mmCIF file of all heavy atoms in Angstrom:
data_model
loop_
_atom_site.group_PDB
_atom_site.id
_atom_site.type_symbol
_atom_site.label_atom_id
_atom_site.label_comp_id
_atom_site.label_asym_id
_atom_site.label_seq_id
_atom_site.Cartn_x
_atom_site.Cartn_y
_atom_site.Cartn_z
ATOM 1 N N ALA E 130 -75.502 38.213 70.402
ATOM 2 C CA ALA E 130 -74.732 37.525 69.323
ATOM 3 C C ALA E 130 -75.120 36.062 69.280
ATOM 4 O O ALA E 130 -75.319 35.400 70.298
ATOM 5 C CB ALA E 130 -73.252 37.726 69.480
ATOM 6 N N GLU E 131 -75.282 35.531 68.070
ATOM 7 C CA GLU E 131 -75.436 34.123 67.847
ATOM 8 C C GLU E 131 -74.227 33.302 68.063
ATOM 9 O O GLU E 131 -74.183 32.238 68.631
ATOM 10 C CB GLU E 131 -75.961 33.863 66.466
ATOM 11 C CG GLU E 131 -77.441 34.466 66.244
ATOM 12 C CD GLU E 131 -77.870 34.189 64.788
ATOM 13 O OE1 GLU E 131 -77.116 34.234 63.875
ATOM 14 O OE2 GLU E 131 -79.159 34.013 64.635
ATOM 15 N N ARG E 132 -73.104 33.898 67.671
ATOM 16 C CA ARG E 132 -71.809 33.242 67.897
ATOM 17 C C ARG E 132 -70.703 34.289 67.702
ATOM 18 O O ARG E 132 -70.870 35.390 67.125
ATOM 19 C CB ARG E 132 -71.524 32.126 66.856
ATOM 20 C CG ARG E 132 -71.866 32.480 65.385
ATOM 21 C CD ARG E 132 -71.801 31.154 64.621
ATOM 22 N NE ARG E 132 -72.004 31.444 63.220
ATOM 23 C CZ ARG E 132 -73.184 31.479 62.627
ATOM 24 N NH1 ARG E 132 -74.274 31.317 63.344
ATOM 25 N NH2 ARG E 132 -73.307 31.675 61.279
ATOM 26 N N ALA E 133 -69.538 34.062 68.327
ATOM 27 C CA ALA E 133 -68.466 35.031 68.290
ATOM 28 C C ALA E 133 -67.154 34.298 68.360
ATOM 29 O O ALA E 133 -66.973 33.201 68.925
ATOM 30 C CB ALA E 133 -68.473 35.926 69.507
ATOM 31 N N LEU E 134 -66.153 34.818 67.506
ATOM 32 C CA LEU E 134 -64.865 34.116 67.401
ATOM 33 C C LEU E 134 -63.794 35.155 67.668
ATOM 34 O O LEU E 134 -63.913 36.308 67.274
ATOM 35 C CB LEU E 134 -64.734 33.571 65.981
ATOM 36 C CG LEU E 134 -63.583 32.671 65.679
ATOM 37 C CD1 LEU E 134 -63.771 31.283 66.513
ATOM 38 C CD2 LEU E 134 -63.531 32.250 64.243
ATOM 39 N N VAL E 135 -62.694 34.717 68.366
ATOM 40 C CA VAL E 135 -61.609 35.638 68.744
ATOM 41 C C VAL E 135 -60.279 35.093 68.146
ATOM 42 O O VAL E 135 -60.009 33.895 68.203
ATOM 43 C CB VAL E 135 -61.486 35.673 70.309
ATOM 44 C CG1 VAL E 135 -60.233 36.500 70.718
ATOM 45 C CG2 VAL E 135 -62.756 36.378 70.941
ATOM 46 N N ARG E 136 -59.472 36.103 67.696
ATOM 47 C CA ARG E 136 -58.141 35.702 67.240
ATOM 48 C C ARG E 136 -57.150 36.602 67.936
ATOM 49 O O ARG E 136 -57.378 37.860 67.950
ATOM 50 C CB ARG E 136 -58.011 35.831 65.675
ATOM 51 C CG ARG E 136 -56.594 35.551 65.181
ATOM 52 C CD ARG E 136 -56.499 35.514 63.638
ATOM 53 N NE ARG E 136 -57.228 34.361 63.180
ATOM 54 C CZ ARG E 136 -57.610 34.104 61.928
ATOM 55 N NH1 ARG E 136 -57.459 35.077 61.041
ATOM 56 N NH2 ARG E 136 -58.274 32.964 61.637
ATOM 57 N N ARG E 137 -56.057 36.057 68.397
ATOM 58 C CA ARG E 137 -55.023 36.884 69.025
ATOM 59 C C ARG E 137 -53.812 36.963 68.099
ATOM 60 O O ARG E 137 -53.603 36.122 67.236
ATOM 61 C CB ARG E 137 -54.581 36.188 70.337
ATOM 62 C CG ARG E 137 -55.671 35.949 71.378
ATOM 63 C CD ARG E 137 -56.187 37.168 71.964
ATOM 64 N NE ARG E 137 -57.198 36.981 72.914
ATOM 65 C CZ ARG E 137 -57.893 37.907 73.692
ATOM 66 N NH1 ARG E 137 -57.472 39.140 73.522
ATOM 67 N NH2 ARG E 137 -58.790 37.611 74.520
ATOM 68 N N TYR E 138 -53.147 38.104 68.261
ATOM 69 C CA TYR E 138 -51.936 38.382 67.450
ATOM 70 C C TYR E 138 -50.738 38.658 68.395
ATOM 71 O O TYR E 138 -50.887 39.375 69.415
ATOM 72 C CB TYR E 138 -52.126 39.542 66.574
ATOM 73 C CG TYR E 138 -53.359 39.399 65.662
ATOM 74 C CD1 TYR E 138 -54.531 40.087 66.121
ATOM 75 C CD2 TYR E 138 -53.403 38.688 64.497
ATOM 76 C CE1 TYR E 138 -55.673 39.965 65.357
ATOM 77 C CE2 TYR E 138 -54.559 38.545 63.746
ATOM 78 C CZ TYR E 138 -55.679 39.178 64.181
ATOM 79 O OH TYR E 138 -56.808 39.084 63.458
ATOM 80 N N LEU E 139 -49.574 38.057 68.089
ATOM 81 C CA LEU E 139 -48.363 38.266 68.886
ATOM 82 C C LEU E 139 -47.300 38.964 68.170
ATOM 83 O O LEU E 139 -47.218 38.812 66.976
ATOM 84 C CB LEU E 139 -47.931 36.840 69.377
ATOM 85 C CG LEU E 139 -48.924 35.935 70.074
ATOM 86 C CD1 LEU E 139 -48.362 34.558 70.229
ATOM 87 C CD2 LEU E 139 -49.349 36.577 71.389
ATOM 88 N N PRO E 140 -46.436 39.776 68.790
ATOM 89 C CA PRO E 140 -45.325 40.424 68.113
ATOM 90 C C PRO E 140 -44.373 39.386 67.440
ATOM 91 O O PRO E 140 -44.140 38.451 68.025
ATOM 92 C CB PRO E 140 -44.698 41.261 69.238
ATOM 93 C CG PRO E 140 -45.654 41.345 70.279
ATOM 94 C CD PRO E 140 -46.504 40.030 70.248
ATOM 95 N N ALA E 141 -44.007 39.721 66.197
ATOM 96 C CA ALA E 141 -43.153 38.841 65.576
ATOM 97 C C ALA E 141 -41.703 38.855 66.261
ATOM 98 O O ALA E 141 -41.117 37.859 66.286
ATOM 99 C CB ALA E 141 -42.980 39.291 64.064
ATOM 100 N N ALA E 142 -41.381 39.947 66.816
ATOM 101 C CA ALA E 142 -40.184 40.086 67.598
ATOM 102 C C ALA E 142 -40.393 39.865 69.026
ATOM 103 O O ALA E 142 -41.284 40.556 69.633
ATOM 104 C CB ALA E 142 -39.579 41.429 67.390
ATOM 105 N N THR E 143 -39.758 38.818 69.625
ATOM 106 C CA THR E 143 -40.000 38.517 71.004
ATOM 107 C C THR E 143 -39.651 39.689 71.949
ATOM 108 O O THR E 143 -40.155 39.695 73.119
ATOM 109 C CB THR E 143 -39.228 37.234 71.387
ATOM 110 O OG1 THR E 143 -37.915 37.489 71.136
ATOM 111 C CG2 THR E 143 -39.722 36.050 70.653
ATOM 112 N N SER E 144 -38.801 40.595 71.525
ATOM 113 C CA SER E 144 -38.378 41.725 72.394
ATOM 114 C C SER E 144 -39.510 42.718 72.632
ATOM 115 O O SER E 144 -39.397 43.614 73.399
ATOM 116 C CB SER E 144 -37.244 42.391 71.744
ATOM 117 O OG SER E 144 -37.572 42.911 70.486
ATOM 118 N N ALA E 145 -40.679 42.499 71.856
ATOM 119 C CA ALA E 145 -41.766 43.492 72.068
ATOM 120 C C ALA E 145 -42.452 43.406 73.403
ATOM 121 O O ALA E 145 -43.276 44.177 73.780
ATOM 122 C CB ALA E 145 -42.732 43.284 70.932
ATOM 123 N N GLY E 146 -42.127 42.336 74.111
ATOM 124 C CA GLY E 146 -42.626 42.182 75.465
ATOM 125 C C GLY E 146 -44.131 42.085 75.631
ATOM 126 O O GLY E 146 -44.769 41.101 75.158
ATOM 127 N N THR E 147 -44.762 43.099 76.257
ATOM 128 C CA THR E 147 -46.256 42.993 76.539
ATOM 129 C C THR E 147 -47.113 43.492 75.427
ATOM 130 O O THR E 147 -48.364 43.593 75.611
ATOM 131 C CB THR E 147 -46.563 43.797 77.906
ATOM 132 O OG1 THR E 147 -46.098 45.133 77.722
ATOM 133 C CG2 THR E 147 -45.827 43.111 79.082
ATOM 134 N N ASP E 148 -46.552 43.999 74.307
ATOM 135 C CA ASP E 148 -47.380 44.460 73.203
ATOM 136 C C ASP E 148 -48.253 43.289 72.753
ATOM 137 O O ASP E 148 -47.832 42.128 72.654
ATOM 138 C CB ASP E 148 -46.543 44.998 72.062
ATOM 139 C CG ASP E 148 -45.663 46.141 72.455
ATOM 140 O OD1 ASP E 148 -45.909 46.759 73.520
ATOM 141 O OD2 ASP E 148 -44.709 46.444 71.679
ATOM 142 N N ARG E 149 -49.512 43.594 72.426
ATOM 143 C CA ARG E 149 -50.427 42.592 71.984
ATOM 144 C C ARG E 149 -51.583 43.197 71.232
ATOM 145 O O ARG E 149 -51.839 44.360 71.256
ATOM 146 C CB ARG E 149 -50.961 41.827 73.197
ATOM 147 C CG ARG E 149 -51.701 42.706 74.162
ATOM 148 C CD ARG E 149 -51.967 41.957 75.501
ATOM 149 N NE ARG E 149 -52.804 42.725 76.417
ATOM 150 C CZ ARG E 149 -52.311 43.625 77.342
ATOM 151 N NH1 ARG E 149 -50.971 43.870 77.369
ATOM 152 N NH2 ARG E 149 -53.109 44.256 78.067
ATOM 153 N N ALA E 150 -52.272 42.269 70.487
ATOM 154 C CA ALA E 150 -53.434 42.763 69.645
ATOM 155 C C ALA E 150 -54.338 41.552 69.566
ATOM 156 O O ALA E 150 -54.022 40.408 69.780
ATOM 157 C CB ALA E 150 -52.918 43.244 68.261
ATOM 158 N N GLY E 151 -55.596 41.836 69.105
ATOM 159 C CA GLY E 151 -56.599 40.793 68.937
ATOM 160 C C GLY E 151 -57.818 41.379 68.183
ATOM 161 O O GLY E 151 -57.967 42.557 68.107
ATOM 162 N N GLU E 152 -58.583 40.387 67.677
ATOM 163 C CA GLU E 152 -59.875 40.824 67.055
ATOM 164 C C GLU E 152 -60.916 39.772 67.422
ATOM 165 O O GLU E 152 -60.678 38.585 67.522
ATOM 166 C CB GLU E 152 -59.728 40.832 65.530
ATOM 167 C CG GLU E 152 -61.000 41.318 64.821
ATOM 168 C CD GLU E 152 -60.978 41.281 63.294
ATOM 169 O OE1 GLU E 152 -60.089 40.536 62.829
ATOM 170 O OE2 GLU E 152 -61.779 41.902 62.677
ATOM 171 N N LEU E 153 -62.141 40.259 67.621
ATOM 172 C CA LEU E 153 -63.339 39.547 67.921
ATOM 173 C C LEU E 153 -64.292 39.833 66.781
ATOM 174 O O LEU E 153 -64.552 40.979 66.427
ATOM 175 C CB LEU E 153 -63.909 39.811 69.254
ATOM 176 C CG LEU E 153 -65.241 39.099 69.655
ATOM 177 C CD1 LEU E 153 -65.364 39.011 71.149
ATOM 178 C CD2 LEU E 153 -66.472 39.860 69.134
ATOM 179 N N VAL E 154 -64.925 38.782 66.176
ATOM 180 C CA VAL E 154 -65.988 39.047 65.256
ATOM 181 C C VAL E 154 -67.237 38.245 65.756
ATOM 182 O O VAL E 154 -67.130 37.106 66.166
ATOM 183 C CB VAL E 154 -65.622 38.446 63.821
ATOM 184 C CG1 VAL E 154 -66.821 38.482 62.926
ATOM 185 C CG2 VAL E 154 -64.464 39.240 63.203
ATOM 186 N N ALA E 155 -68.383 38.954 65.794
ATOM 187 C CA ALA E 155 -69.589 38.381 66.262
ATOM 188 C C ALA E 155 -70.735 38.496 65.298
ATOM 189 O O ALA E 155 -70.782 39.592 64.528
ATOM 190 C CB ALA E 155 -70.040 39.135 67.571
ATOM 191 N N GLN E 156 -71.536 37.511 65.144
ATOM 192 C CA GLN E 156 -72.645 37.473 64.232
ATOM 193 C C GLN E 156 -73.936 37.478 64.906
ATOM 194 O O GLN E 156 -74.164 36.825 65.863
ATOM 195 C CB GLN E 156 -72.571 36.287 63.264
ATOM 196 C CG GLN E 156 -73.719 36.263 62.226
ATOM 197 C CD GLN E 156 -73.426 35.294 61.132
ATOM 198 O OE1 GLN E 156 -72.417 35.201 60.546
ATOM 199 N NE2 GLN E 156 -74.503 34.421 60.873
ATOM 200 N N PHE E 157 -74.873 38.421 64.523
ATOM 201 C CA PHE E 157 -76.173 38.554 65.099
ATOM 202 C C PHE E 157 -77.263 38.124 64.098
ATOM 203 O O PHE E 157 -77.015 37.950 62.915
ATOM 204 C CB PHE E 157 -76.414 40.024 65.487
ATOM 205 C CG PHE E 157 -75.408 40.486 66.516
ATOM 206 C CD1 PHE E 157 -74.177 40.850 66.168
ATOM 207 C CD2 PHE E 157 -75.855 40.560 67.840
ATOM 208 C CE1 PHE E 157 -73.310 41.243 67.109
ATOM 209 C CE2 PHE E 157 -74.892 40.969 68.833
ATOM 210 C CZ PHE E 157 -73.552 41.386 68.379
ATOM 211 N N ALA E 158 -78.458 37.990 64.640
ATOM 212 C CA ALA E 158 -79.598 37.482 63.825
ATOM 213 C C ALA E 158 -79.985 38.381 62.683
ATOM 214 O O ALA E 158 -80.429 38.010 61.578
ATOM 215 C CB ALA E 158 -80.815 37.204 64.665
ATOM 216 N N ASP E 159 -79.804 39.754 63.010
ATOM 217 C CA ASP E 159 -80.195 40.717 61.910
ATOM 218 C C ASP E 159 -79.432 42.037 62.234
ATOM 219 O O ASP E 159 -78.731 42.193 63.255
ATOM 220 C CB ASP E 159 -81.676 40.969 61.941
ATOM 221 C CG ASP E 159 -82.213 41.235 63.385
ATOM 222 O OD1 ASP E 159 -81.724 42.107 64.072
ATOM 223 O OD2 ASP E 159 -83.200 40.532 63.827
ATOM 224 N N THR E 160 -79.581 42.965 61.312
ATOM 225 C CA THR E 160 -78.807 44.215 61.433
ATOM 226 C C THR E 160 -79.341 45.067 62.673
ATOM 227 O O THR E 160 -78.590 45.806 63.291
ATOM 228 C CB THR E 160 -78.972 45.104 60.162
ATOM 229 O OG1 THR E 160 -80.406 45.338 59.924
ATOM 230 C CG2 THR E 160 -78.381 44.344 59.002
ATOM 231 N N THR E 161 -80.633 45.008 62.967
ATOM 232 C CA THR E 161 -81.195 45.725 64.060
ATOM 233 C C THR E 161 -80.549 45.365 65.382
ATOM 234 O O THR E 161 -80.065 46.160 66.186
ATOM 235 C CB THR E 161 -82.703 45.619 64.182
ATOM 236 O OG1 THR E 161 -83.358 46.055 62.984
ATOM 237 C CG2 THR E 161 -83.222 46.396 65.383
ATOM 238 N N THR E 162 -80.386 44.039 65.632
ATOM 239 C CA THR E 162 -79.815 43.492 66.791
ATOM 240 C C THR E 162 -78.274 43.834 66.883
ATOM 241 O O THR E 162 -77.735 44.225 67.916
ATOM 242 C CB THR E 162 -79.927 41.946 66.933
ATOM 243 O OG1 THR E 162 -81.342 41.587 66.762
ATOM 244 C CG2 THR E 162 -79.446 41.407 68.211
#
Side-chain angles (χ1 to χ4, degrees):
E131 295 179 322
R132 50 190 181 272
L134 193 66
V135 172
R136 176 172 292 166
R137 303 291 180 177
Y138 308 97
L139 306 173
T143 56
S144 59
T147 57
D148 297 346
R149 60 190 183 275
E152 183 184 16
L153 177 152
V154 172
Q156 181 167 310
F157 297 79
D159 49 52
T160 57
T161 300
T162 308

